[in-house]
Amino acid sequence: MTQVWPGSAYPLGATYDGTGTNFAIFSEVAEKVELCLFDEQGNEERIRLPEMDGYVWHAFLPGIHPGQRYGFRVHGPYEPEQGLRCNPNKLLLDPYAKAIDGQIDWDQSVFGYDFETKERNDDDSAAHMPKSVVVNPFFDWGVDRPPKTPYNKTVIYEAHVKGLTMTNPRIPEELRGTYAGVAHPATIEHLQGLGITAIELLPVHQFVQDDTLEQKGLRNYWGYNTIGFFAPHNEYAQAHNGQQVQEFKGMVRALHEAGIEVILDVVYNHTAEGNHNGPTLSFKGIDNRTYYRLVEGDERYYMDTTGTGNSLNVRAPQSLQLIMDSLRYWVTEMHVDGFRFDLASTLARQFHEVDRLSAFFDLVHQDPVVSQVKLIAEPWDIGDGGYQVGNFPALWTEWNGKYRDTVRDFWRGEGGTIGEFADRISGSADLYQHSGRRPVASINFVTAHDGFTMRDLVSYNEKHNEANGEGNNDGESHNRSWNGGVEGETDDPAILHVRARQQRNFIATLMLSQGVPMLLHGDELGRSQGGNNNGYCQDSELTWIDWENVDEGLLEFTKKVTQLRCDHPTFRRRRFFHGRPVRRGLGEPVPDIAWLTPDGEQMGDDDWDVGYAKSLAVYLNGVGIRETDERGEFVTDDHFYLAFNASDHPIEFTLPGEDYCQSWRTVLDTAEMGEVEPVELKPGETVTVDGRAIVVLTGPSA
């Protein structure tokens, strides 16, 4: 007979102290809570939690060690129309489980209602449910230190644990698709060669494989279907039953040793339990009204601003505590360096409208742990007023969707875009300066997991999502893409030449823009998804990086332009340009930034308004950085001149006068595949920029 002691109401979850385990779970509506322990054969022992303090039910069980599988059964009212869905016949995952073992097999019993009658279903679900696992919190971190890379020196690589590593022949087969595969030297060498300082992993919180996808022979690849906010997803680990925690920590430790930060894409806006027709897996059966936003007046139904069936109730203190406890856990115990918040506008919906000063942001800002890591918002959801680019508060950075759209439009040749293009590549001051933020508030990206890869962006005008089984009706239809003249794969050398150049244009624009660049994994290798712009359900070669067919030329170009960014603080300023003259030792003062016509004249109002204009140049003053280095010494850099030509034909650009710079030298030309001949030019001379190309020149600042 298992011994049961009173234990403690804090911390929530299962906490092993070396002698036994404390179990604690919150439920305001419960009348009784049972802890269920499972042995290797699946036999269940039920233990009633004897204590309840502040609606936290708890007990300490001596002799319960790491590896113990468990769950909960909550006795209480089942009144769906009142938002109450307790049913002790449903085994429930611990919301605070540090590890989860197994998967859901989607038996009828995991649902709270009968499919035919729609009445309450009392079939026992234990045999068909994954189990929470007690974990060993002890891990040898050695001398692990977070890299704490400043935002202005950060280059982010958005990646998928499995997709990044699954076919890499340099990684042992048993490690492919796992956290250990990400930690392998082959992966780290690739990231370091690209100049990556932070890897942003698609969701690694334990998520659920969708029943509807499995019936189609598909799988949830992206992982935006969370059920465990503290547990590393077990399918990405070599060993399960709690060992995934150790493997994840080992990955973080290895990446930190290489100077690479780990940012997690986190999904706190909804859970995998779906709407009123969804399964009862955890929160729904524990305290449905606390954890979910329900429709006022008919609480059988769920508010949904995420498109997934439910939205977490961030008005409830316990839900907010769950989110904050989870964030702190991943920082303090798992040593991650930041978070990208999926559909972050939903977290700001304290009532109905998006509120940038909602309780969630208040908690983040006052938290001494969470406020000190990188915080990145996906600043939209599908609800009214959900598009909030530029409206998040201080400390936060944002995926800049306007940057993505504008850069795509410019390079596909849309007229009337040069004004906004200039705003975006200079740091989007119009979006962020008013709130006291800096250029690094803008996470710049051209492609991300959701949408075309960069190669597909230049190869397809239309989405091709037939493999997803939704009649090609899923995914974004307005992609701002251009295929170069032929849809999809082609052998036409002229079209292939244009496509290769366009990819170089996108990468060069991304890396030389003010703000923080984010590169989608595989874009530097020419990865394609065959025109599928919604690979959420494609856990296959379609979405994995094909390491056997790498565009070596594009890879080397990416390394070169990323190194250019790294070497020159002019491209990664910490402050916005002010446009005022900067005093220099020689010559007349000139602005820290100057926008120029191809004729070498400063852009006037009429120039910005020319609808057919598809070219412009920008001068960046290396003396005007106004930065100090790590020793507090004033930093100067070379001057730079960037000429952008999105038209189809070559354009002669006249270099500005000698007050700007005494001499120029070419360092980058996206029309060229390999090294650029460093041509020396004088003020007033011209440089030819091919159609759909960028030329970058540099000159000494002294």
Side-chain angles (χ1 to χ4, degrees), residues 79-83 289 293-303 315:
E79 300 171 10
E81 65 281 357
Q82 301 299 320
R289 291 192 304 199
R293 294 193 66 185
L294 306 178
V295 175
E296 293 184 15
D298 194 351
E299 295 185 322
R300 178 189 300 270
Y301 301 105
Y302 295 77
M303 296 285 290
R315 293 180 292 181

Side-chain angles (χ1 to χ4, degrees), residues 443-461:
I443 305 297
N444 299 330
F445 67 106
V446 177
T447 56
H449 68 275
D450 188 359
F452 281 146
T453 67
M454 194 170 289
R455 178 177 166 187
D456 288 353
L457 185 65
V458 303
S459 304
Y460 296 90
N461 284 352

Side-chain angles (χ1 to χ4, degrees), residues 346-663:
T346 291
L347 298 174
R349 291 183 183 274
Q350 191 162 5
F351 295 99
H352 177 69
E353 296 80 10
V354 177
D355 180 4
R356 66 191 294 270
L357 299 178
S358 70
F360 171 68
F361 295 115
D362 292 342
L363 287 173
V364 168
H365 280 228
Q366 62 80 40
D367 190 278
V369 173
V370 180
S371 65
Q372 299 306 303
V373 301
K374 288 182 168 67
L375 303 171
I376 305 172
E378 182 187 33
W380 50 78
D381 64 17
I382 67 168
D384 293 340
Y387 194 76
Q388 292 290 316
V389 173
N391 291 330
F392 277 68
L395 294 185
W396 286 78
T397 62
E398 303 174 15
W399 271 25
N400 190 343
K402 292 187 176 182
Y403 179 96
R404 171 201 60 204
D405 296 345
T406 301
V407 170
R408 287 186 178 194
D409 278 346
F410 178 80
W411 283 116
R412 71 186 178 120
E414 287 290 299
T417 60
I418 60 172
E420 187 163 3
F421 181 75
D423 284 338
R424 300 299 152 242
I425 67 174
S426 60
S428 295
D430 59 321
L431 299 178
Y432 304 112
Q433 193 169 24
H434 70 278
S435 57
R437 290 187 284 173
R438 294 187 173 185
V440 294
S442 178
I443 305 297
N444 299 330
F445 67 106
V446 177
T447 56
H449 68 275
D450 188 359
F452 281 146
T453 67
M454 194 170 289
R455 178 177 166 187
D456 288 353
L457 185 65
V458 303
S459 304
Y460 296 90
N461 284 352
E462 309 294 337
K463 63 184 180 182
H464 296 270
N465 299 352
E466 291 81 5
N468 296 352
E470 299 182 42
N472 204 33
N473 293 314
D474 61 305
E476 176 62 57
S477 296
H478 184 44
N479 294 285
R480 294 180 160 89
S481 60
W482 179 57
N483 62 20
V486 173
E487 186 75 354
E489 295 299 315
T490 180
D491 295 327
D492 188 321
I495 292 176
L496 293 174
H497 179 75
V498 170
R499 290 178 178 178
R501 184 178 296 189
Q502 286 286 77
Q503 289 177 81
R504 295 194 293 272
N505 287 335
F506 282 127
I507 288 173
T509 302
L510 178 65
M511 292 301 167
L512 302 183
S513 294
Q514 304 298 321
V516 180
M518 184 185 78
L519 185 69
L520 172 62
H521 83 194
D523 274 355
E524 76 283 6
L525 307 172
R527 182 175 74 91
S528 172
Q529 292 182 174
N532 191 319
N533 72 353
N534 192 29
Y536 78 102
C537 59
Q538 298 294 333
D539 186 2
S540 66
E541 290 85 354
L542 183 71
T543 51
W544 304 339
I545 289 179
D546 180 2
W547 288 97
E548 297 290 348
N549 294 286
V550 170
D551 186 335
E552 295 289 352
L554 182 60
L555 175 59
E556 291 307 310
F557 177 85
T558 305
K559 291 179 179 180
K560 178 180 179 180
V561 73
T562 306
Q563 188 63 49
L564 183 64
R565 177 187 181 86
C566 178
D567 291 342
H568 294 282
T570 294
F571 297 116
R572 42 184 176 81
R573 293 167 55 100
R574 295 177 58 246
R575 296 173 174 82
F576 287 110
F577 295 104
H578 53 69
R580 297 187 296 273
V582 176
R583 177 63 61 184
R584 301 183 298 172
L586 297 173
E588 293 298 318
V590 295
D592 57 354
I593 186 172
W595 299 100
L596 305 167
T597 68
D599 294 333
E601 301 297 326
Q602 290 216 29
M603 295 277 288
D605 292 342
D606 292 341
D607 297 312
W608 291 113
D609 293 335
V610 176
Y612 59 81
K614 298 180 181 180
S615 61
L616 80 164
V618 60
Y619 164 82
L620 304 177
N621 190 332
V623 178
I625 302 175
R626 300 166 60 224
E627 304 290 349
T628 56
D629 60 19
E630 289 77 3
R631 295 172 295 179
E633 297 181 2
F634 187 74
V635 173
T636 61
D637 193 11
D638 294 338
H639 302 309
F640 281 90
Y641 175 89
L642 290 74
F644 300 90
N645 179 16
S647 69
D648 291 323
H649 55 274
I651 293 179
E652 295 288 323
F653 281 77
T654 301
L655 297 174
E658 61 183 14
D659 285 339
Y660 289 84
C661 188
Q662 300 295 311
S663 65

